[in-house]
Amino acid sequence: MELGADTKFVLLAAGLIFLWALVLGVWKYRQMARAEDHLAHPYVDTAHRAALLYSFATLLLAAFVQFSGWNAIVNLLSAGAVVLFFVGAIGAYVHHGRRRETDNQFRDPVRGTTAFMTALIVAEIGGFAVLLLGFVRAQLL
């Protein structure tokens, strides 16, 4: 079975996010090794864990893209919206971990946090819902 270009793109994204997770694991380990309490900064830990989880979630997206009944553009836009916010979230965690300015980004949110979170919710749920409907359309109906 030949994979579509849309599926290949999403699989590549999953691989890149997983590689990023592995690199973040090194950063986390270095902080744990140097800290008196042997703990990494909470956002370094969160970035590492989120990247691991999002890499596998992106694999799930790739499966739904592959078996979707929509065209490649719809699949790419839907999966791309989800992946964009996965990457944005990991990037925010890395930012907070690097700056060590907070252990809770919602305690004193910066301007735009609510808008970003609203967009994240709409893009992630909406993007996946489109892919799920494409799967149902092609595989179950």
Side-chain angles (χ1 to χ4, degrees), residues 110-130:
V110 298
R111 186 173 181 207
T113 298
T114 300
F116 178 84
M117 292 305 299
T118 301
L120 179 146
I121 291 164
V122 169
E124 288 184 357
I125 294 173
F128 181 69
V130 169

Side-chain angles (χ1 to χ4, degrees), residues 6 9-10 65 71-84 123 126-128 130-131:
D6 48 355
F9 174 80
V10 179
V65 164
N71 66 48
I73 298 297
V74 171
N75 289 335
L76 274 175
L77 290 173
S78 300
V82 177
V83 170
L84 177 69
F128 181 69
V130 169
L131 294 174

Side-chain angles (χ1 to χ4, degrees), residues 24-111:
L24 289 171
V26 174
W27 185 28
K28 178 180 171 180
Y29 163 73
R30 289 181 54 133
Q31 284 195 0
M32 291 169 61
R34 292 179 178 165
E36 281 187 29
D37 61 2
H38 299 291
L39 296 174
H41 185 274
Y43 273 104
V44 172
D45 183 52
T46 299
H48 175 244
R49 292 172 191 240
L52 286 171
L53 292 170
Y54 287 152
S55 70
F56 285 93
T58 304
L59 283 176
L60 182 65
L61 291 174
F64 279 92
V65 164
Q66 179 63 26
F67 297 110
S68 170
W70 307 131
N71 66 48
I73 298 297
V74 171
N75 289 335
L76 274 175
L77 290 173
S78 300
V82 177
V83 170
L84 177 69
F85 279 94
F86 285 175
V87 168
I90 298 165
Y93 305 146
V94 167
H95 171 77
H96 291 303
R98 191 183 81 247
R99 294 195 56 188
R100 296 176 172 258
E101 82 251 344
T102 186
D103 61 359
N104 186 329
Q105 66 183 344
F106 296 105
R107 185 178 303 122
D108 297 308
V110 298
R111 186 173 181 207

